[in-house]
Amino acid sequence: MSSIKKLQTDVAIIGGGIVGSSAALALRRMGASVVLLERDLCGSRSSGVNFGGVRRQGRSLSQLPLTQRAHRIWGRLPELLGTDGEYVRSGHFKIARSEADMASLERYRAMSSDFDLGLELISATRLRQQCPWLGTRAVGGSLCAEDGQANPRLVSPAFALAAQRAGALVFERHKVDEVAHDGAMFMVRSGNALEVQAPVLLNCAGAWAGTIASQFGETPPMYARSPVMAVTEPVPHFMRWSLGVEGGGIYCRQVERGNLVMGGGTGITLDDERARAESDAIATLAMQAVELLPMLRHAHIIRTWGGTEGYLPDREPVLGPSLTTPGLFHGFGFAGAGFQIGPAAGEVLADLARDGRTETPIDAFAIERFDEESVSPSLAASPT
Amino acid sequence: MVCRCENVTAGTLRQTVATAGADELNRLKALSRVGMGRCQGRMCGVAAAEILAHATQQPLQQVGRLRGQAPIKPIPIRLVPAEGADA
């Protein structure tokens, strides 16, 4: 190889998932120069292989301002990306399987009423009439008519492509081997191919973001988990809503082509790079699917998969400034629910990179919530 | 017609390479649906790889191969729990 390529930029971004790519796009629209490094292909990990739910309903109250901001971005997707990524506001229906579930859905509607999600509770009688295809365990549920679904394998790479078209320098297959901060500038190096210098660094490395954070003496208690996903062959269209179940478990949607995409449970993380859906989890998922949608008993499953996603113990992301290093901002740990809010998280990171602040409330996602254990001052003084 | 399950033509594949810059087979699959149907690429995978290699002017071995994903052949969903219990 010839000598290492050196670049200077306003903002360096590690991670080309939906968060990092949308941050890159937002920064380009603000006029900042951006270099993005992605270890694999942009949008090929959790951002590209997730369920594809674009859902606000059911999120914690602290995520609602962020999710509303994201909702507005999703509404402009064709204008931003040049493709709709199969995004449709098809409705998201959360099923109650007991009176207690129904009461819980009612409480959520009351709690979230300030945010105008437009939730509508549907009784058992109406559900039978409207959705004869639904299994008998459903006793009602809550509909968010403006929530929906999209195709993650199209949307997430499209954010990266749009950022690139807007002038961001995107380097795929460039794993970050070294990051450092000299008090003023960050240095990000990928092998002997690329070295980037920037006053601002965004850590959007998903399940791998903990490694980056630890270089700066921050060790949030993150762990990796792999949701289990499966898809059936195409079947005639019968369901517009994306379905979830109160209390968790299976989630399911029917794509435009007719296939049923479903997820739930936990797969196996083979190693740092790979995850698999595992047979017991697929078996449980299949049983739940037939219970939820009895007509599926004749359908064939054609493919299963998993993805690797970062989780924090409270299942809230880390989004905001580093505690140890000025100019470093984190956006990771979306706990399997980052697809809808990803574009808003990206915009928030762009706000932070430009102004050091954002109008969207993000205090609940501060890294300092893991207090003493997350910061090790000795390491903070000497990032590698 | 390259992918008969998902009706993906050679022209669509070449267009996807040109517009989205796909240079690897799994990325081409993600963007075009080639190999995403009932046969999971067993019929079309090799042809798609050849077209991708030609369109990107890479040697065939450079474009990769479709990731193997269970089940090996389509399995009725009602039989999955029994299979899972055996495994």
Side-chain angles (χ1 to χ4, degrees):
Chain A
M1 288 292 288
S2 57
S3 65
I4 191 163
K5 180 174 184 151
K6 294 194 176 185
L7 292 172
Q8 288 216 342
T9 186
D10 294 333
V11 183
I13 301 177
I14 303 176
I18 194 164
V19 176
S21 297
S22 55
L25 179 60
L27 282 162
R28 283 305 302 146
R29 290 167 69 95
M30 293 172 179
S33 60
V34 178
V35 176
L36 185 152
L37 289 88
E38 160 59 43
R39 60 192 273 145
D40 194 346
L41 296 174
C42 288
S44 65
R45 299 304 183 108
S46 281
S47 294
V49 303
N50 64 72
F51 170 62
V54 185
R55 164 187 68 81
R56 296 167 295 164
Q57 170 164 235
R59 288 182 185 275
S60 66
L61 292 188
S62 53
Q63 286 190 16
L64 292 183
L66 194 62
T67 205
Q68 290 294 68
R69 182 169 180 174
H71 188 65
R72 293 190 290 275
I73 302 172
W74 281 96
R76 296 192 296 132
L77 215 57
E79 172 205 328
L80 282 169
L81 305 184
T83 171
D84 67 1
E86 297 177 11
Y87 172 56
V88 279
R89 291 191 170 165
S90 58
H92 173 262
F93 187 65
K94 199 158 201 190
I95 293 169
R97 291 180 292 194
S98 67
E99 288 310 313
D101 285 353
M102 204 63 193
S104 166
L105 291 172
E106 279 176 25
R107 275 198 303 279
Y108 184 79
R109 184 175 67 159
M111 277 189 325
S112 62
S113 59
D114 286 350
F115 291 93
D116 198 24
L117 300 181
L119 301 182
E120 181 192 357
L121 293 174
I122 296 184
S123 68
T125 321
R126 201 179 128 202
L127 205 54
R128 293 285 155 264
Q129 281 169 356
Q130 205 173 326
C131 313
W133 37 263
L134 208 52
T136 50
R137 272 199 70 193
V139 300
S142 171
L143 176 67
C144 184
E146 292 292 301
D147 275 357
Q149 49 190 299
N151 191 330
R153 66 183 157 73
L154 299 180
V155 170
S156 294
F159 267 102
L161 200 57
Q164 202 168 8
R165 285 192 186 121
L169 298 177
V170 176
F171 293 89
E172 296 187 313
R173 301 186 182 101
H174 277 69
K175 182 173 179 291
V176 170
D177 296 302
E178 188 187 355
V179 282
H181 187 242
D182 66 5
M185 296 290 274
F186 291 92
M187 188 282 295
V188 183
R189 184 178 61 79
S190 174
N192 52 14
L194 181 64
E195 191 179 300
V196 182
Q197 289 208 314
V200 175
L201 177 65
L202 305 184
N203 175 15
C204 310
W208 299 272
T211 313
I212 306 293
S214 69
Q215 306 283 305
F216 298 100
E218 294 178 285
T219 51
M222 194 161 76
Y223 57 98
R225 218 189 124 231
S226 162
V228 167
M229 308 289 308
V231 63
T232 71
E233 65 195 322
V235 299
H237 250 282
F238 66 93
M239 178 171 79
R240 193 174 146 71
W241 292 340
S242 179
L243 296 181
V245 172
E246 172 60 16
I250 188 173
Y251 36 91
C252 185
R253 67 188 182 100
Q254 186 170 26
V255 305
E256 192 183 335
R257 170 88 173 99
N259 312 67
L260 270 291
V261 181
M262 58 191 76
T266 304
I268 334 170
T269 312
L270 291 180
D271 54 35
D272 204 29
E273 298 294 320
R274 296 172 305 158
R276 288 285 182 278
E278 163 268 352
S279 59
D280 283 351
I282 291 291
T284 308
L285 187 60
M287 274 190 290
Q288 289 179 326
V290 173
E291 182 187 285
L292 189 69
L293 304 167
M295 66 197 297
L296 281 188
R297 65 190 179 278
H298 299 300
H300 286 70
I301 285 183
I302 59 174
R303 183 169 67 249
T304 62
W305 69 97
T308 309
E309 167 69 310
Y311 289 72
L312 292 148
D314 59 4
R315 296 211 164 204
E316 298 286 0
V318 168
L319 180 61
S322 155
L323 266 188
T324 62
T325 314
L328 172 64
F329 300 94
H330 300 298
F332 60 80
F334 288 86
F339 187 50
Q340 192 271 348
I341 56 174
E347 279 196 1
V348 162
L349 288 166
D351 293 345
L352 293 170
R354 185 185 59 178
D355 306 325
R357 53 181 297 280
T358 180
E359 297 199 344
T360 305
I362 53 167
D363 290 350
F365 316 129
I367 197 165
E368 50 260 51
R369 70 183 190 272
F370 304 109
D371 58 34
E372 293 85 20
E373 68 214 285
S374 72
V375 182
S376 131
S378 58
L379 265 175
S382 57
T384 47
Chain B
M1 186 62 63
V2 178
C3 171
R4 284 183 277 164
C5 302
E6 295 293 319
N7 294 335
V8 183
T9 63
T12 301
L13 296 182
R14 292 190 192 104
Q15 198 185 349
T16 306
V17 170
T19 56
D23 64 354
E24 189 270 336
L25 195 54
N26 290 288
R27 169 50 53 97
L28 186 66
K29 168 184 169 183
L31 295 176
S32 71
R33 296 195 75 89
V34 69
M36 293 194 88
R38 273 192 68 95
C39 89
Q40 288 295 293
R42 279 180 295 276
M43 301 293 284
C44 63
V46 174
E50 298 246 8
I51 289 166
L52 176 59
H54 186 258
T56 54
Q57 299 184 318
Q58 299 179 85
L60 187 58
Q61 62 269 28
Q62 285 286 311
V63 301
R65 48 189 293 185
L66 293 174
R67 274 189 288 271
Q69 290 171 284
I72 303 302
K73 66 170 196 171
I75 175 169
I77 198 166
R78 67 179 189 284
L79 297 182
V80 173
E83 297 284 324
D86 289 347

